[in-house]
Amino acid sequence: MAWRLKLVPTHTKIDFFRWQFLTFGVSVLASVVSIILVLTVGLNLGIDFKGGTTIRTESTTVVDVGAYREALAKLDLSDVTITEVNDPSFRADQHVAQIRIGPKEGEEAVTPESIAALEAALTQLDPAITFPAVESVGPKVSGELIWKALLSIAAASAGILVYVWMRFEWQFAVGCVAALIHDVIVTVGVFALFQLKFDLSIVAALLTILGYSVNDTVVIFDRLRENLAKYKSMPLREMMNLTANETLSRTIMTATTTFLSLLVLFIFGGDVIRGFVFAMLFGVVIGTYSTLYVAKNIVLFLGVDRGDKPKKSATPDEFAKVDA
């Protein structure tokens, strides 16, 4: 017999509802904390949403953030942020920094004169420095991008709600969308907690997380629907546990292979896509968790209409007075 790798035994009997109130409570707490972090600490908005100009520098000389800041302090610049960029894929003599500046008071965007002055000051400090990328976004455009990003996530969630409702029942749709919203909120909360840059690529990652998570959830719900017809007298809690165990191998295998692929991108893909890949990595983990512990819990709380269950056979007492 050919040897096959199994991440999960063929027949498992894990009780996913053993700590249902604890796991559901942790999910609710994580969502609330994430919202509080976003409202209080705020997101480290990238150039897409905040507006301004981001300049990427490269040099064979080691980046000295303090010297950069001192050189730019002589210029009349607004909201200067200097960040050294480290990446395993860089050459030994490749030193990269990212400088973000905002528009001055009363200006719509950073002027070309300000950018030229910045480049001249850094070139005087380090003649080997180059400026391979300059990105500028005005405040009007950034405001529109924020609104469109929110609309895209809301539209995707609404479309998923309708799809699951039409394919299954409304309880399944509510459980599925609640799990998706949980995934998005907690992921955004992590970005607020660690002050990771939040730009349009992260919005794309959030939309991808929605698609990944709903696919995983629908697979379990589809098996649950089959079991509802197969085991008509089995209590709903036992049936949902049976369904989760039957699909556990597929869930773990999908999550593991996706995670490993993303991990390679995170390590070797470069700093340009690192934020996107990190969001995806975290999304795979939280999406798998919410499928097993959030979506099913909500469906169990709401109950499922099992009106098509055949009526119980008549008892002897019901026919006691009927003539033979």
Side-chain angles (χ1 to χ4, degrees), residues 12 28 72 116 134 192 227 239:
T12 57
V28 172
L72 298 181
V134 178
N227 287 339
M239 186 182 303

Side-chain angles (χ1 to χ4, degrees), residues 59-65 68 84 95 126:
S59 177
T60 54
T61 306
V62 176
V63 174
D64 186 341
V65 176
Y68 280 25
E84 183 176 2
H95 305 284
D126 179 11

Side-chain angles (χ1 to χ4, degrees), residues 235-252:
L236 183 59
R237 173 171 172 160
E238 293 181 18
M239 186 182 303
M240 296 184 78
N241 256 330
L242 173 65
T243 301
N245 280 281
E246 287 178 343
T247 57
L248 185 61
S249 178
R250 182 263 175 201
T251 299
I252 298 300

Side-chain angles (χ1 to χ4, degrees), residues 27 57 62 97 118 126 134 177 189 196 220 229 234 244 250 278 294 323:
S27 298
T57 71
V62 176
L118 180 147
D126 179 11
V134 178
V177 172
L196 303 174
I220 295 179
M234 181 182 292
R250 182 263 175 201
F278 174 80
V294 177
D323 293 332

Side-chain angles (χ1 to χ4, degrees), residues 9-24:
T10 304
H11 301 289
T12 57
K13 295 182 180 179
I14 301 173
D15 185 1
F16 290 97
F17 292 101
R18 182 178 181 182
W19 309 105
Q20 67 181 91
F21 293 105
L22 175 62
T23 55
F24 192 72

